Amino acid sequence: MRLVFMGPPGAGKGTQARRICEELSIPQISTGDILRAAVKNETAMGLEAKRYMEAGDLVPDSVVIGIIRDRIQEPDAQGGYLLDGFPRTVAQAEALDALLEELGSGLDRVIDLAVPDSDLIARLTGRRTCPACGWGCHVLFAPPKVEGKCDSCGGDLVQRADDSEATAKNRLATYHEQTSPLLDYYKSRPIFRAIEGVGTVDEVYQRLQGALA
Ligand code: AP5
């Protein structure tokens, strides 16, 4: 399976992608995670990306297209993959189509996870993650067993720098301006499915399984 997960910030792409990837034994390729690792490691790419991410703006297309070009050709991606948060502009989608044609492959599903703006700010500002193992939760909707501590490894939970209310609002505005036009790019294709992202994590997961069947 070669999958694309689209949807606004906080729609639940990462939450659902982890489960789907485990079930299908395919890698979750999140441009956000790759960029955050580059920022943390202070690589040249990380230093370039940092100011865009801190402001809630998109990192330039050339940077993220380069990431995906390299990543989907790695050995663990030969049996399929899930692209989480890529493409995010029409230029990125066109570059992905060209790359897949060059590689002689194609996508099996493009899934759009739809959640109204009114729910998204609460999802983003309440998110906490564990920097040690990557485990994630929500202070209200999926709280950790011990406040502030990771359920998986016991490490201290942190809030992502771009999950402050002001930056989250800009990320949503950026989504509507630059990413939502992508729906028109994909929606006439038979591989496109729109999924309602409101409800419990299990309910959304069941809808996703139906869309992937
Ligand atoms: P990225 O990391 O991709 O962030 P995003 O798209 O904004 O998505 P999020 O990770 O915030 O949300 P999500 O949909 O994965 O939700 P989650 O499952 O965590 O990108 C960050 C930045 O990197 C961008 O702003 C940009 O600067 C740059 N970037 C990345 N890709 C790029 C690209 N292609 N081009 C250019 N720049 C790029 O869920 C959120 C919270 O909600 C969690 O706390 C979760 O527990 C909770 N939750 C999940 N599901 C439910 C549910 N059903 N009910 C209640 N709560 C739920």
Side-chain angles (χ1 to χ4, degrees), residues 94-141:
E94 288 170 347
L96 178 62
D97 278 346
L99 175 60
L100 292 174
E101 196 178 329
E102 188 185 314
L103 298 174
S105 69
L107 297 170
D108 296 297
R109 286 283 184 278
V110 174
I111 307 265
D112 180 57
L113 214 47
V115 177
D117 282 9
S118 50
D119 291 359
L120 293 170
I121 295 294
R123 285 196 186 186
L124 291 169
T125 54
R127 172 169 49 192
R128 299 291 181 271
T129 50
C130 175
C133 72
W135 185 79
C137 65
H138 190 283
V139 292
L140 298 177
F141 309 140

Side-chain angles (χ1 to χ4, degrees), residues 10 12-15 31 36 57 59 85 88 92 127 137 171 199:
K13 302 182 293 296
T15 302
T31 38
R36 273 185 292 281
D57 295 333
V59 172
R88 227 179 264 226
Q92 291 177 22
R127 172 169 49 192
C137 65
R171 286 163 62 202

Side-chain angles (χ1 to χ4, degrees), residues 152-197:
S152 180
C153 74
D156 289 331
L157 297 173
V158 298
Q159 184 178 36
R160 247 169 68 174
D162 59 351
D163 277 345
S164 68
E165 188 164 342
T167 308
K169 281 183 175 162
N170 192 46
R171 286 163 62 202
L172 275 185
T174 302
Y175 169 81
H176 288 299
E177 196 184 306
Q178 296 184 57
T179 306
S180 59
L182 260 188
L183 294 177
D184 286 333
Y185 186 86
Y186 283 121
K187 75 181 175 197
S188 61
R189 299 189 186 187
I191 56 169
F192 179 80
R193 301 283 186 282
I195 298 290
E196 181 67 62

Side-chain angles (χ1 to χ4, degrees), residues 70-90:
D70 293 343
R71 184 64 186 88
I72 67 172
Q73 295 188 70
E74 285 180 19
D76 70 331
Q78 297 320 299
Y81 46 77
L82 188 159
L83 301 183
D84 168 5
F86 180 94
R88 227 179 264 226
T89 62
V90 171

